[in-house]
Amino acid sequence: MQTGLRHFDGVGADPAPSTPSDTIEHQLAACVREYLGNYLYDTATFLCERLVAETPSTAHTLLLARCYYLSNQPYRTYHLLKDSSDPASRYLFATACLSLNRLTEAEDALLPGPAAHGGVAHGAAGHFLLAKVHTLMNRHDSAASHHRAALSLDPMLWGAFEGLCTLGAETEAQAYLEGSGWAAQHGRAPGGGGAEACTLEQTPGASPSQEADVGPTPGSSQVGPPPTDSIADQAFSFPSPAPMADGGALLGVTPGSGGGPGYSGMQSYVTPSPTGLLAAPPPARKAPPAGRGAWQPRGAPPASASSGPAPAPRREAKLRRLFSDEEEGAGVLPPAAVPARRPAAEPASPSPGPAGAAAALGLLRALGRALLHASMHRCGAALAALRALPPAHRETGWALCTTGRALAGAVRYAESARAFARARALEPGRLADMEAYSTVLWHLRAGPALSALAQDLLALDRLSPAAWCAAGNCFSLQRDHDTALRFFRRALQLDGGRAYAHTLAGHEFLALEDFDKAMGCYRAALRIEPRHYNAWFGMGHIFYRQEKWSLAEYHFRRATAIHPTSSVLRCYLGMALRRLERLEEALLELHRAIAADPKNPLARFEAANVLLACERPRDALHELQALHDVAPQEVSTYFQMGKVHKRLGEVDQAMRCFCAALDLQPPAADSELIKGAIERLRVTEDGLDEEM
C-alpha cells in the first residue's frame, strides 16, 4: 500500500523512460503552435523564447522570429535573423526590413549574391516582396518584371497582378489575363512558387516539434529547407499562405480649391475656390464643383454660384474630440495553461485538382480584367467587366468599391455613392477605398453623410490613414483648410508612402495659395507613384495660375496621357493651349472634353471663347446655347451670349441676354459691368473688352 502511495506521489519510484513525444521540447513546441493558431501571440512568444533557450536550433529561431513579427515587433525579427542564411529566414528577415523601411537590406536578403543558387529566395513570394521593394526604390521596370515572375510561378498571387496594374504595366497584365506563359500552371496547387511542398498534418514518424513549426512566415508561400540539428529540424514544412496583397491604390483628386484631377485608384482631391461670377470663366451645372476628388481636379473653378443648399449641421466638434482623445489601450490576455496533451490532428484538406485550379484562375482573371480597365481609367470597360462577374462576386465589397471608383471616374457621382453605400452595408468594417467614397461625397456636397462616414471610420480604426483622409475631406468641404491639413498630415504619419494623402495635402496648400508647399506635396506623391495623375494635374494648375503656360501645358499633357478619357484634364489642357494662342489645338482638346462629358460646363464655355477668337461667332453662339441648357442660371453665360449677339449685329437679342443676366441678381461689381455693356450696346465696335 505504501509502495503504491509512494509511486502515486512520485516518491521513490523509478522515473519512466522519456519518449520522443514526452520531452520539454515537444511540449513547448506544441504549445507555441497551438497559441499561434489561437492568436495568443504574447504567450506563444514567451514559450518560444523558452524553447530556444532549452534547445537552440535554426528552426526554433525562425519560429521565434515569426512570433515576434506576428506580435508587431519587426525590429526584434530583424535583429534575430540578421545573420541567418537559410532561405526561409532570409525571406522573413526581408519582410521585417520592409516594415522598417530598410530597403537595401531587404533587397540584399532576397538576392544574396551571384554565388547563391536558385535566384530570388522563396520563389513567387520572394519575387513579389522584391517587386514591392523595387517599387519603393523607384525601380519600376524591375518591379514589373518581378511581379511577372511571381505570377509565372504562382498564378494565384493576386497581389502581384495588382502591382502590375498599379505600375501601369498593361502589356504584362494583359499577358496574364490571356494566359500567355501560365498555361502549364493550371494543374498545380497555388502557393508553391518553387519551394518545398508544405503540409499541415503531422507526417508519420515526424517529431512533435515539426508540428510546432507549422505555419506560414508572414507573406510567404513556403519556407526553405529545414535544418537538421534537433528533433524539430527534421523535415518540417510550412503551409502555403494566401498571397500577400498590396493595398490597392486607385488614383484620384480630392475636393478642395487647390487643383487636382480625379481619383486614380490612387487619386487625389481638391477644394473649390470661391471666385467672382464675372471674373471666372466657367459657368456650371447644378453638379458639384470640380474639386479635389479623384475624378475631378480640385483646383477647378466652382461650377455654379448657387451649388445647392448649405450642408446640414456638421459634426466637426465631435471629430475634433475624436482627434484629441487618447487611444484606448488594448487589454492583455492572461497566458493560458499549458495543455496536458494535444488534440488529434485534423485531417488535411485534399490538394486541388487541375479542374479546381483552372476554375479558380478563371475567376481571378475575370476579376483582373475589371481591375486592369479601372487602373487604366477605362471606366466604361471596367463597368462592363464588373457586370459580367458571377452574381456571388458582383455583390461583394471589392467589386462594389471598384464599381464606385469607375462610376466616379465617369462623373456619375450619385450612382458611385450608392455603390459605395452598398459596399459599406455588406462589409461595415471595410476601410479600403473609403477615401474614394469620401471624395464622392465631397463632390455631391453631402456634408452630413461625409461627416458621419469620417466618424464611423475613426471609431473603427484610429490608426487607418483612410479614416483621417475622410476626416480631412470633411473639413475641406467646410473650407476649414487648416484643420483638413492637420488630418492629412496625421494620415501621412501613419503611412508616409500614401501618394493620395500627399496630393490631398497639396490641394489644401493650393487652396491657401501656398504654392511652394503645394508643389512639394505633389512632387512627393509622384516620387511614390509616378502614374498619380492628380499630382500632375495639381502641378499644372499651379503653373496655370502663375501664368506659366508652357509648363502648365506640359503637366496637363502628362496627366492626360495617364487618364486620356478625363473631360476635366482635356478641358484644362485646352485652356493652356488657348493661352499659348494655339487655337486649333485648343479647340480639338476642348471638343474631346465635351465628347467625354457633354455636361461639362467649363469645356463648353472655353470652347465658345476659342471660337470667338477664331472669328466664328455663330459656332460660339451654338456652344453657349448648349451651355445654357446645361446651366440655365449662369450670369456669365447670358453675358457672353449678349456679347456674341452684339458682334453679329443682333442688338435686340443682345439686350435680352444682358437683361436676363441682370435679373439673376449678380454681385454689385458684375452688375456694373453688365450695365456698362448695355449703355454701349448701340456703339459700333468689334466686341467688348470685359469678360466674365
Side-chain angles (χ1 to χ4, degrees):
M1 187 71 178
Q2 284 182 334
T3 303
L5 287 174
R6 283 198 303 269
H7 179 71
F8 180 81
D9 294 337
V11 178
D14 295 333
S18 176
T19 63
S21 61
D22 195 25
T23 63
I24 185 173
E25 178 187 359
H26 169 271
Q27 183 69 4
L28 290 174
C31 290
V32 169
R33 177 180 181 272
E34 178 168 337
Y35 294 139
L36 282 179
N38 291 331
Y39 315 109
L40 302 175
Y41 297 136
D42 291 340
T43 300
T45 299
F46 177 81
L47 294 180
C48 198
E49 288 173 341
R50 310 285 75 75
L51 176 63
V52 171
E54 179 71 25
T55 313
S57 72
T58 302
H60 293 163
T61 300
L62 177 59
L63 182 60
L64 178 58
R66 289 185 53 241
C67 292
Y68 286 150
Y69 191 84
L70 293 173
S71 301
N72 196 26
Q73 301 180 61
Y75 44 90
R76 300 190 73 178
T77 301
Y78 171 85
H79 290 291
L80 187 64
L81 298 180
K82 192 170 185 178
D83 298 324
S84 300
S85 58
D86 61 286
S89 298
R90 300 308 292 173
Y91 176 81
L92 181 54
F93 175 75
T95 304
C97 288
L98 183 61
S99 300
L100 299 173
N101 202 32
R102 298 173 179 263
L103 303 181
T104 303
E105 291 182 75
E107 181 185 25
D108 292 342
L110 294 169
L111 294 173
H117 298 287
V120 175
H122 228 55
H127 278 287
F128 175 64
L129 186 61
L130 190 56
K132 294 176 69 175
V133 171
H134 285 176
T135 299
L136 294 174
M137 298 173 75
N138 290 324
R139 294 161 58 182
H140 300 291
D141 291 340
S142 176
S145 67
H146 283 291
H147 278 311
R148 192 185 190 285
L151 284 172
S152 67
L153 293 171
D154 185 0
M156 299 296 293
L157 214 170
W158 173 255
F161 180 77
E162 281 188 321
L164 289 176
C165 294
T166 301
L167 292 171
E170 185 175 10
T171 302
E172 291 83 352
Q174 192 63 43
Y176 170 77
L177 296 178
E178 294 171 357
S180 303
W182 286 281
Q185 300 286 340
H186 284 196
R188 121 178 139 61
E196 291 77 7
C198 308
T199 55
L200 278 171
E201 71 276 11
Q202 184 179 2
T203 55
S207 77
S209 328
Q210 297 171 353
E211 283 188 329
D213 292 332
V214 171
T217 303
S220 67
S221 53
Q222 64 164 49
V223 173
T228 56
D229 53 349
S230 75
I231 63 170
D233 302 336
Q234 303 169 9
F236 77 92
S237 55
F238 289 64
S240 301
M244 289 190 305
D246 244 336
L250 270 192
L251 307 172
V253 174
T254 38
S257 77
Y263 191 84
S264 63
M266 298 165 242
Q267 288 155 309
S268 10
Y269 311 124
V270 188
T271 318
S273 58
T275 52
L277 284 175
L278 293 178
R285 49 183 160 171
K286 294 253 175 150
R292 91 161 69 201
W295 303 276
Q296 267 201 16
R298 170 185 198 155
S304 173
S306 57
S307 56
R314 312 188 309 252
R315 305 187 188 182
E316 290 91 333
K318 186 171 181 181
L319 279 174
R320 294 181 195 275
R321 291 197 301 273
L322 283 171
F323 181 75
S324 59
D325 289 346
E326 294 186 0
E327 299 173 12
E328 298 179 1
V332 179
L333 295 174
V338 176
R341 58 176 179 167
R342 295 188 51 76
E346 296 181 2
S349 47
S351 300
L361 191 55
L363 173 62
L364 285 192
R365 285 176 174 156
L367 298 169
R369 277 187 285 274
L371 178 61
L372 179 59
H373 288 310
S375 300
M376 296 295 109
H377 309 293
R378 297 189 287 263
C379 304
L383 292 172
L386 288 163
R387 285 193 293 267
L389 292 176
H393 295 278
R394 190 165 58 240
E395 288 296 318
T396 59
W398 180 89
L400 289 171
C401 285
T402 305
T403 300
R405 292 198 308 268
L407 289 168
V411 201
R412 295 159 61 180
Y413 295 120
E415 297 173 70
S416 175
R418 287 194 290 271
F420 280 119
R422 288 204 308 274
R424 288 207 73 214
L426 285 173
E427 301 180 10
R430 184 181 180 89
L431 289 168
D433 303 309
M434 288 300 102
E435 62 269 40
Y437 184 23
S438 70
T439 295
V440 171
L441 295 176
W442 188 96
H443 280 293
L444 293 173
R445 321 303 290 169
L450 180 53
S451 178
L453 174 66
Q455 291 183 67
D456 291 345
L457 296 180
L458 286 172
L460 190 64
D461 185 1
R462 292 175 58 83
L463 298 180
S464 167
W468 293 107
C469 287
N473 281 342
C474 178
F475 283 98
S476 176
L477 181 61
Q478 307 303 329
R479 302 182 187 275
D480 188 350
H481 303 301
D482 291 330
T483 304
L485 270 172
R486 184 184 180 194
F487 288 168
F488 294 143
R489 284 169 173 163
R490 175 58 177 156
L492 290 172
Q493 285 179 342
L494 295 169
D495 183 3
R498 183 167 289 234
Y500 166 75
H502 282 289
T503 305
L504 281 180
H507 293 329
E508 296 305 315
F509 281 122
L510 186 55
L512 297 171
E513 297 190 350
D514 191 338
F515 295 150
D516 292 338
K517 290 184 179 179
M519 192 70 76
C521 291
Y522 294 139
R523 285 171 176 159
L526 290 175
R527 280 195 295 270
I528 297 168
E529 188 179 329
R531 296 188 72 252
H532 193 61
Y533 72 86
N534 313 98
W536 286 109
F537 172 86
M539 295 175 70
H541 195 260
I542 290 176
F543 289 126
Y544 186 86
R545 293 178 63 174
Q546 292 175 338
E547 300 185 2
K548 298 177 180 178
W549 315 122
S550 296
L551 289 172
E553 181 211 352
Y554 170 79
H555 288 84
F556 289 146
R557 283 198 185 277
R558 290 295 300 266
T560 305
I562 298 169
H563 192 347
T565 61
S566 170
S567 176
V568 175
L569 295 179
R570 293 283 182 188
C571 177
Y572 272 83
L573 177 57
M575 291 164 59
L577 291 169
R578 177 200 168 202
R579 295 292 186 174
L580 292 169
E581 299 185 0
R582 292 155 59 181
L583 300 181
E584 293 300 329
E585 294 179 65
L587 193 59
L588 176 62
E589 294 297 339
L590 290 168
H591 283 164
R592 287 174 176 171
I594 294 170
D597 181 10
K599 295 184 178 181
N600 185 337
L602 178 58
R604 290 196 178 275
F605 190 88
E606 288 295 326
N609 288 335
V610 174
L611 289 169
L612 281 174
C614 293
E615 301 297 333
R616 296 166 59 183
R618 285 292 177 191
D619 293 336
L621 185 60
H622 175 75
E623 288 291 351
L624 290 170
Q625 288 170 343
L627 174 59
H628 175 266
D629 295 337
V630 175
Q633 300 298 316
E634 282 298 330
V635 176
S636 55
T637 303
Y638 285 107
F639 183 75
Q640 194 74 354
M641 289 173 70
K643 290 169 60 178
V644 176
H645 281 301
K646 183 181 188 309
R647 178 175 293 190
L648 292 171
E650 301 169 351
V651 178
D652 293 339
Q653 293 288 344
M655 178 64 76
R656 277 194 289 269
C657 290
F658 289 144
C659 291
L662 285 175
D663 290 342
L664 293 174
Q665 298 181 350
D670 297 341
S671 296
E672 292 300 323
L673 184 60
I674 296 171
K675 290 175 182 178
I678 293 174
E679 291 173 0
R680 295 189 297 273
L681 194 56
R682 302 293 177 179
V683 178
T684 302
E685 55 184 2
D686 294 336
L688 295 173
D689 294 333
E690 299 88 354
E691 289 186 0
M692 300 295 285

